[in-house]
Amino acid sequence: MLGEAMDASTASFQVGYESPTQFSREYSRLFGAPPLRDIARLRGLSLAGLEAAL
């Protein structure tokens, strides 16, 4: 998602999930943060800054 500027919805379908909600929940469980917050952290942005960049 980070390298291709992909949102969680698109990524969820590309890896085989039928529901972006299920993907986000399982991502959070595995990595400790929801995808959007995790990407913001990796990019060094606040969540508001990431949403504005999209």
Side-chain angles (χ1 to χ4, degrees):
M1 291 185 309
L2 183 61
E4 296 184 24
M6 186 181 306
D7 65 11
S9 254
T10 303
S12 70
F13 292 119
Q14 284 197 356
V15 297
Y17 284 88
E18 293 185 20
S19 164
T21 304
Q22 180 187 7
F23 172 77
S24 183
R25 184 174 36 250
E26 290 188 21
Y27 184 101
S28 295
R29 195 173 325 162
L30 184 61
F31 297 108
L36 187 60
R37 189 180 320 149
D38 204 20
I39 289 172
R41 181 186 58 80
L42 291 168
R43 288 187 177 160
L45 301 172
S46 68
L47 189 55
L50 179 63
E51 289 171 344
L54 298 176

